[in-house]
Amino acid sequence: MSRVYNFSAGPSMLPEEVLKKAADEMLDYKGSGQSVMEMSHRSKVFKSIIDEAESLFRELLKIPDNYKVLFLQGGASTQFAAIPLNFMNGSGKADFIITGQWAKKAYQEASRYGNARIVASSADKTFTYLPKTKPEDFDPEADYAYICVNNTIYGTCYREIPDVGSIPLIGDISSSFMSEPVDVSKFAVLYGGAQKNIGPAGLTVVIVREDMLGKARDITPTMLNYAVHAENGSMYNTPPCYAIYMCKNVLEWIKEQGGLEKMKELNEKKAKILYDFLDSSKMFRGTVVKEDRSLMNVPFVTDSDELNKKFIAEAEEAGFVNLKGHRTVGGMRASIYNAMPIEGVRKLVDFMAKFEADNA
Ligand SMILES: *Cc1c(COP(=O)(O)O)cnc(C)c1O
């Protein structure tokens, strides 16, 4: 068996230990005589899995007690509609910072339901930086402000969460979920799809402050109403059981590694190896301004489309897969989430150095 280094933006690598554990437990989960895929979501044994997943989230992220943790489906994209339907129900206004395609999609979806306003955008420079904002930029009457914390496609990440004044802040953290500590209390709602950093596709985790619940519009579909899911412990209907189980395994792995402080240290180390190389290379360069660089998604280019293509093809052959940049950006992108081992990044950089020498 040989495994590749997978630099995909998502679904992405999972820790090998987690995959092996899932394989070991596949046919008979802890003496239940069943796979987690087969068991009732209302069984005691599954209850212990979802409870453990929630308590690991709370422990690792230090989630305050006045927040609910919801295990939902539909991906981050479904929340783009659920968020306005749940919260855009006071003034009907919401303020957005547009830092890339995911923030834009969330804005566009919210625009269908109310008065969504763009406070700042970095579209002028292809989202290669994060626009600076001040608390006064935000409408104190808005029902919420919205940001995308880590911009998967363009490779920017908020190192400091913007101050939006007195209104609730909602953040999409899909692609940096559990990659480093976050002050959850700065957000009214923080959510993400699992498939970038914390498990397989199919699970979306929504962390919501209790006072935000109960504001949904009458027309909100029951399945998109966060209060309904909160009241039912994420069991209003069948939750994505196996994805929750895998997520639990990933969170256990994160805890074994030393928690989010340790993840941050490792992620900084990995990103530094790649960024240092990009900064010293004469062929490759990063596309994002230094102060806004993501630790998770590293876009880079050469000055020639042909060289980009050649690089991606040769890298793939050498076992470094999914390095092609997003179809809207071109070039390359290395996603180096928690599960990417440091050797994967070191070997990629060695490969890039050799490619540069061979093609100089
Ligand atoms: C991938 C991604 C999404 C979309 O997630 P889906 O689960 O495919 O809907 C949204 N936001 C961010 C930041 C992402 O990285």
Side-chain angles (χ1 to χ4, degrees), residues 74-77 80 102 148 150 152 172 174-175 193 195-196:
S77 301
F80 296 168
W102 297 121
C148 182
N150 185 79
T152 326
D172 174 357
S174 295
S175 51
Q195 73 273 21
K196 310 290 163 69

Side-chain angles (χ1 to χ4, degrees), residues 128-183:
T128 51
Y129 71 103
L130 295 172
K132 303 254 181 313
T133 54
K134 303 183 294 295
E136 308 87 84
D137 298 338
F138 294 86
D139 182 350
E141 279 184 8
D143 292 326
Y144 58 88
Y146 184 100
I147 63 168
C148 182
V149 177
N150 185 79
N151 294 281
T152 326
I153 295 174
Y154 301 95
T156 58
C157 185
Y158 278 102
R159 305 312 317 161
E160 231 174 275
I161 301 305
D163 183 350
V164 298
S166 58
I167 55 176
L169 176 63
I170 297 180
D172 174 357
I173 196 163
S174 295
S175 51
S176 56
F177 223 168
M178 311 306 272
S179 64
E180 60 183 329
V182 189
D183 184 354

Side-chain angles (χ1 to χ4, degrees), residues 13-282:
M13 285 182 86
L14 289 169
E16 217 163 278
E17 295 93 315
V18 166
L19 295 173
K20 283 186 177 146
K21 181 176 168 161
D24 284 345
E25 293 178 338
M26 180 60 74
L27 293 178
D28 177 11
Y29 178 75
K30 294 197 173 158
S32 67
Q34 311 161 63
S35 159
V36 175
M37 276 185 234
E38 303 169 297
M39 61 182 55
S40 163
H41 59 293
R42 307 212 182 266
S43 63
K44 247 192 209 148
V45 53
F46 184 72
K47 178 88 169 68
S48 75
I49 292 171
I50 193 169
D51 286 350
E52 182 62 16
E54 175 170 347
S55 87
L56 283 162
F57 263 114
R58 289 189 178 279
E59 177 186 344
L60 292 165
L61 259 185
K62 299 192 169 69
I63 300 173
D65 288 342
N66 61 329
Y67 285 74
K68 298 283 191 201
V69 180
L70 309 179
F71 296 93
L72 309 179
Q73 306 196 45
S77 301
T78 296
Q79 316 317 312
F80 296 168
I83 287 164
L85 286 166
N86 277 274
F87 308 121
M88 209 185 205
N89 200 17
S91 63
K93 297 195 275 187
D95 280 353
F96 287 75
I97 305 181
I98 308 296
T99 49
Q101 216 183 93
W102 297 121
K104 191 171 157 198
K105 283 191 169 169
Y107 159 78
Q108 285 169 333
E109 195 70 13
S111 301
R112 306 180 64 209
Y113 301 105
N115 186 357
R117 182 176 73 113
I118 296 176
V119 170
S121 165
S122 49
D124 59 337
K125 291 186 181 156
T126 331
F127 304 114
T128 51
Y129 71 103
L130 295 172
K132 303 254 181 313
T133 54
K134 303 183 294 295
E136 308 87 84
D137 298 338
F138 294 86
D139 182 350
E141 279 184 8
D143 292 326
Y144 58 88
Y146 184 100
I147 63 168
C148 182
V149 177
N150 185 79
N151 294 281
T152 326
I153 295 174
Y154 301 95
T156 58
C157 185
Y158 278 102
R159 305 312 317 161
E160 231 174 275
I161 301 305
D163 183 350
V164 298
S166 58
I167 55 176
L169 176 63
I170 297 180
D172 174 357
I173 196 163
S174 295
S175 51
S176 56
F177 223 168
M178 311 306 272
S179 64
E180 60 183 329
V182 189
D183 184 354
V184 174
S185 72
K186 288 194 168 159
F187 294 89
V189 182
L190 193 59
Y191 76 96
Q195 73 273 21
K196 310 290 163 69
N197 215 11
I198 56 171
L203 168 65
T204 311
V205 178
V206 177
I207 300 166
V208 52
R209 211 172 57 209
E210 285 166 356
D211 65 286
M212 296 294 286
L213 296 170
K215 300 179 181 185
R217 295 183 182 190
D218 293 343
I219 60 153
T220 303
T222 308
M223 275 298 291
L224 295 192
N225 190 327
Y226 294 141
V228 169
H229 291 291
E231 279 157 23
N232 289 280
S234 303
M235 297 258 191
Y236 174 76
N237 73 326
T238 317
C241 300
Y242 198 77
I244 293 169
Y245 157 75
M246 286 301 289
C247 179
K248 175 198 76 97
N249 290 344
V250 170
L251 299 182
E252 278 169 353
W253 176 83
I254 292 174
K255 188 174 167 180
E256 282 160 22
Q257 307 304 301
L260 297 189
E261 290 291 350
K262 188 69 190 182
M263 279 295 127
K264 179 180 186 191
E265 192 186 310
L266 284 168
N267 287 326
E268 281 175 345
K269 220 186 235 178
K270 286 187 295 185
K272 185 172 188 318
I273 294 170
L274 190 44
Y275 284 122
D276 281 353
F277 173 76
L278 291 171
D279 291 343
S280 69
S281 166
K282 292 195 169 60

